[in-house]
Amino acid sequence: MNLQRFLIITFISIILLGLIQQSQATTVADFSKHAQYYNIKISPDGKHLAALMNLDGFKTLVFLETDTMKFTHTAKGGRKAQAAEYFWVNNERVVVQLQQTRGSLEKPLDFGEIYAVNYNGKRKKMVFGYRSKRGLVFSGNAGFILDMLPEDDKNILVYKQALTRRSDTYASIVKLNIYTGRESRLKIAPAPYTQFLTDNNSVPRFAVSTGKNSETKLFYSKGKGEKWTAFGKQFTGEFQPISFSTNNNKIYALKSKNGDVKGLYEYDLTTQEERFIFKSTIAEPSYVMKSDLNAIYALRLDEDYPKYIYLDKDAVETKQHKSLVAAFGGDNVEITSKTQDGSQIIVHVYGDRNPGAFYLFDTNTMSAKFLVSTHPWMKLETLSPVEAFRIQTKDGLTLNGYITLPKKSKKLPTVIMPHGGPHARDYWGYNPQVQMLANAGYAVVQINFRGSTGYGKKFMEAGYGQWGAKIQEDILLATQYSIEQGIADKERLCIYGGSFGAYSALQSAILAPDLFKCVIGNAGIYDLTIMAEEGDIQRLKWGEAYLDKTLGTDLANLKQQSPVYHVDKLKAPVLIIHGEEDKRAPIIHAEKLRTAFDKQSHPYEWLVKEKEGHGFYKESNILEANKKVLSFLKKHI
């Protein structure tokens, strides 16, 4: 009865939202806008909501009364203090990780500043960062929220790192007062470049560091006041701690041997005994879901479509989450926050044809109230379904990917869209670029090629040294699959990517010059021989070792796999999109490619924007680039 009521209320909300949207047209501009709402979280007592939204082009934190949805305060920050991640510390106060726009960049960056404010706008203060004016005006440290100290209404844990390019600085963990900004140091990191895991008493117990040779080092502390010691020597494979058990005597970890897919294990820190819990054959768990008792009740798994593995079928949270997933038809269901008594939950729902919506869920009545849509202007019925597929490579790897189809489903003009990274992956869900192309009548093919993350270390390492070779073979294999399935018209194919995807677009079209009718590269790297000198990766302590490991050091091989040296093999016209202030893929890559095109009299189009970094951020620039992409595609396929 309660679940039925919940379903009815949910679907009424969705229908009403759809009726409002019917008068709107889906345009290129709709796909070029930032979200209107990014997140919503409820206060511990349930009386107020904190929402991160787009206001006048800036990320802004606003507060509302839960019952009336009346605004109580707007924490405007502008270019110099945009809100990012935030947390309720108690019933009145929120801490916010700030970002700011600096110099010539459009996109805001995080410099480790933490701001605190009450829901009514009172007692606002920069409690940590170089502008906090505590002690010296310039503190020289960046701070990042680590633990909310649930039993403490006045303090949080922060790990702070010196604002310097030096690679030998050690982070420290401090307890920070959210009203005064006073801090007391608790622990020093055991090595540079460290991330921490706290136990259920908010004590830092694990530290993971990336060493100079790009290797991972794991450290462990038995408890408060105890020293760091090396951990994991007894394991022959990978061991990634992710959560403590309720009594802190055990650790849940993602573990694997021989580079296989990681599975979930429970490891007893006293007896050193382990218990196997779950393992997929293809993909690693995306994240774990914890109950109010700090026990893991479920895993999120993204093999093809998202699904949830419920480990504790009797847990209250399991029953609630299963009901929510069923009610929203298989879309992703994420709990952003809940009240202290668990009676009210904020639910974020999103899927392939749903950019995102937030609901207030009452766990007593099992009913949901629609709050806001992340993209309220979007006409949802015009969005296209995303379908998963799997293919096998000649050397025995299983690749998963996604095909997005417009209403017509056969012999379509098709865009192959390799992801960036390459050590990243595509997921099933809403993607504005993909949906924009499908809305314009194009099929879109995405493939998680070798080198992608989330499929085990062996799968990722299969891409090392193969950026321009076997990775591209995987992309071409997915292209052939779409043709064989009758989806793609082999005479109307284009390849389009960003970052490493831009590199792949050029390299694939060079390896298969008769396959693609056009190529689009956005923020790409095109000369692998200069990766060690240009860009921000090599500036990191472990950056040089990382590049040596993933790219290789053979100059002849790097040149062989660099598009800029093989423009003579390219037949398809190219659209180059780049930001002048790109630090990851400096503009020199685009400029060298343009010079090579000019020497060969190869046809290309050019769109470069000042003040933009690795991918455009300003909405007007995104819109211009999207229009350029659609015009280019229409001209050639």
Side-chain angles (χ1 to χ4, degrees):
M1 180 67 179
N2 286 337
L3 178 57
Q4 183 180 15
R5 180 184 177 191
F6 165 69
L7 288 167
I8 291 171
I9 293 175
T10 297
F11 289 124
I12 287 175
S13 298
I14 294 173
I15 290 169
L16 289 175
L17 180 62
L19 291 174
I20 293 171
Q21 293 168 335
Q22 284 181 2
S23 61
Q24 301 174 350
T26 304
T27 66
V28 181
D30 292 330
F31 293 110
S32 305
K33 295 179 182 178
H34 297 305
Q36 183 65 50
Y37 286 90
Y38 299 94
N39 205 348
I40 296 180
K41 295 182 180 182
I42 194 167
S43 62
D45 61 7
K47 293 181 180 180
H48 294 91
L49 301 173
L52 183 62
M53 66 178 297
N54 189 330
L55 189 63
D56 299 327
F58 301 110
K59 289 181 179 178
T60 305
L61 194 65
V62 299
F63 296 91
L64 309 90
E65 294 178 350
T66 305
D67 292 339
T68 65
M69 294 298 287
K70 178 182 176 182
F71 285 86
T72 61
H73 178 63
T74 300
K76 288 187 177 181
R79 291 176 60 87
K80 292 298 183 181
Q82 294 193 52
E85 184 60 283
Y86 66 97
F87 303 91
W88 285 95
V89 184
N90 53 47
N91 292 329
E92 68 172 5
R93 198 156 180 82
V94 166
V95 290
V96 190
Q97 200 83 48
L98 291 184
Q99 296 176 332
Q100 62 172 287
T101 305
R102 271 192 181 183
S104 58
L105 283 174
E106 295 285 358
K107 186 176 182 178
L109 300 174
D110 193 334
F111 293 95
E113 293 184 296
I114 300 173
Y115 179 78
V117 62
N118 291 357
Y119 69 82
N120 55 9
K122 293 183 178 180
R123 304 190 71 176
K124 46 192 173 185
K125 182 179 179 63
M126 189 83 76
V127 291
F128 193 96
Y130 77 98
R131 292 185 294 179
S132 65
K133 296 185 179 180
R134 172 135 188 98
L136 298 175
V137 174
F138 183 81
S139 67
N141 288 304
F144 304 95
I145 299 168
L146 174 64
D147 192 291
M148 296 311 298
L149 298 179
E151 304 302 320
D152 189 335
D153 285 346
K154 294 183 178 180
N155 298 281
I156 61 173
L157 286 191
V158 170
Y159 73 91
K160 68 176 187 178
Q161 183 79 45
L163 281 169
T164 176
R165 290 186 178 180
R166 288 177 55 191
S167 61
D168 58 349
T169 58
Y170 286 59
S172 60
I173 300 172
V174 300
K175 180 185 287 189
L176 178 73
N177 187 293
I178 60 166
Y179 290 95
T180 66
R182 291 190 180 93
E183 62 184 68
S184 57
R185 191 169 72 182
L186 302 181
K187 213 171 188 68
I188 299 291
Y193 288 101
T194 304
Q195 294 180 315
F196 302 94
L197 177 67
T198 58
D199 65 15
N200 296 316
N201 294 326
S202 301
V203 177
R205 298 279 299 280
F206 276 97
V208 182
S209 172
T210 303
K212 185 176 181 180
N213 295 322
S214 191
E215 80 282 9
T216 298
K217 296 181 180 180
L218 184 60
F219 300 90
Y220 171 67
S221 172
K222 291 183 179 180
K224 189 175 181 180
E226 298 286 344
K227 294 181 178 180
W228 294 111
T229 59
F231 185 88
K233 291 183 178 180
Q234 66 270 41
F235 301 110
T236 57
E238 296 176 273
F239 187 90
Q240 179 187 346
I242 54 175
S243 178
F244 280 84
S245 63
T246 302
N247 60 12
N248 291 322
N249 292 332
K250 299 175 182 179
I251 188 78
Y252 295 105
L254 295 178
K255 182 176 175 288
S256 73
K257 293 181 180 180
N258 304 317
D260 293 335
V261 173
K262 292 176 187 172
L264 181 67
Y265 289 78
E266 182 186 71
Y267 179 79
D268 192 307
L269 293 165
T270 303
T271 66
Q272 297 187 357
E273 295 177 350
E274 68 179 25
R275 178 175 67 91
F276 169 74
I277 299 176
F278 173 84
K279 181 181 178 182
S280 161
T281 59
I282 182 173
E284 298 173 345
S286 301
Y287 59 83
V288 299
M289 299 155 64
K290 297 178 67 174
S291 70
D292 290 338
L293 298 175
N294 289 312
I296 295 177
Y297 72 89
L299 299 173
R300 159 76 181 271
L301 192 64
D302 290 274
E303 293 175 325
D304 301 299
Y305 302 98
K307 65 179 179 181
Y308 300 93
I309 310 299
Y310 296 102
L311 305 175
D312 185 351
K313 300 186 185 303
D314 296 324
V316 172
E317 290 85 359
T318 292
K319 296 173 183 178
Q320 292 171 352
H321 195 270
K322 287 179 73 173
S323 296
L324 287 164
V325 172
F328 288 106
D331 275 0
N332 297 289
V333 174
E334 178 184 6
I335 308 300
T336 73
S337 57
K338 60 174 64 177
T339 55
Q340 193 166 15
D341 63 4
S343 64
Q344 296 183 88
I345 295 174
I346 300 296
V347 182
H348 181 206
V349 181
Y350 54 102
D352 57 344
R353 285 167 286 180
N354 177 10
F358 290 93
Y359 293 81
L360 177 62
F361 180 56
D362 188 312
T363 62
N364 294 320
T365 62
M366 293 292 284
S367 61
K369 173 186 175 183
F370 172 77
L371 296 175
V372 296
S373 171
T374 60
H375 298 69
W377 55 82
M378 195 64 70
K379 196 175 182 181
L380 301 185
E381 61 268 28
T382 66
L383 301 182
S384 299
V386 178
E387 299 176 2
F389 69 92
R390 293 188 189 183
I391 54 178
Q392 293 285 326
T393 67
K394 290 181 180 179
D395 54 351
L397 296 179
T398 298
L399 311 179
N400 91 311
Y402 302 97
I403 295 179
T404 305
L405 296 172
K407 291 182 179 179
K408 183 183 175 184
S409 59
K410 296 292 182 182
K411 292 278 187 177
L412 292 164
T414 298
V415 178
I416 310 300
M417 186 175 282
H419 65 70
H423 310 305
R425 64 156 290 184
D426 284 320
Y427 293 86
W428 179 89
Y430 174 79
N431 180 310
Q433 283 276 298
V434 170
Q435 289 295 337
M436 178 191 74
L437 294 172
N439 189 259
Y442 301 98
V444 183
V445 179
Q446 301 167 276
I447 185 69
N448 286 317
F449 43 76
R450 72 188 68 206
S452 300
T453 53
Y455 302 98
K457 187 177 182 180
K458 188 188 299 180
F459 186 90
M460 184 177 72
E461 290 182 343
Y464 287 2
Q466 298 294 325
W467 284 23
K470 288 188 176 181
I471 286 180
Q472 306 310 316
E473 291 176 14
D474 293 347
I475 294 169
L476 295 174
L477 182 65
T479 305
Q480 290 298 333
Y481 172 83
S482 67
I483 295 171
E484 292 167 3
Q485 295 299 307
I487 294 167
D489 183 343
K490 65 179 182 179
E491 301 300 326
R492 293 189 292 169
L493 287 168
C494 184
I495 185 164
Y496 169 28
S499 193
F500 179 82
Y503 163 82
S504 292
L506 268 294
Q507 184 68 4
S508 286
I510 287 169
L511 294 176
D514 295 316
L515 187 60
F516 300 105
K517 301 302 180 185
C518 63
V519 179
I520 304 173
N522 188 342
I525 50 172
Y526 306 116
D527 186 352
L528 301 185
T529 69
I530 64 171
M531 285 284 286
E533 289 80 34
E534 301 290 341
D536 58 1
I537 294 178
Q538 81 283 350
R539 297 175 189 169
L540 301 171
K541 173 186 176 182
W542 45 264
E544 186 176 344
Y546 166 81
L547 291 173
D548 289 348
K549 180 169 63 176
T550 58
L551 270 177
T553 57
D554 187 317
L555 188 62
N557 187 49
L558 292 176
K559 197 170 183 178
Q560 179 62 33
Q561 296 188 42
S562 296
V564 73
Y565 299 108
H566 303 285
V567 170
D568 59 317
K569 299 181 179 69
L570 189 64
K571 292 184 179 181
V574 179
L575 169 59
I576 307 170
I577 302 171
H578 220 97
E580 284 190 353
E581 300 297 327
D582 195 332
K583 304 302 181 187
R584 179 58 47 89
I587 187 67
I588 188 175
H589 284 279
E591 291 171 342
K592 290 190 72 171
L593 189 62
R594 179 172 63 173
T595 299
F597 285 156
D598 288 338
K599 287 181 179 179
Q600 293 288 329
S601 298
H602 188 86
Y604 69 93
E605 295 184 28
W606 179 263
L607 178 61
V608 170
K609 288 292 182 181
E610 62 179 5
K611 299 184 180 182
E612 290 287 9
H614 197 56
F616 291 177
Y617 183 81
K618 189 176 181 180
E619 285 186 353
S620 61
N621 290 339
I622 296 172
L623 177 59
E624 184 178 350
N626 283 340
K627 287 181 176 179
K628 187 81 170 176
V629 165
L630 292 176
S631 173
F632 189 75
L633 290 172
K634 186 176 182 180
K635 185 187 301 182
H636 296 290
I637 63 170

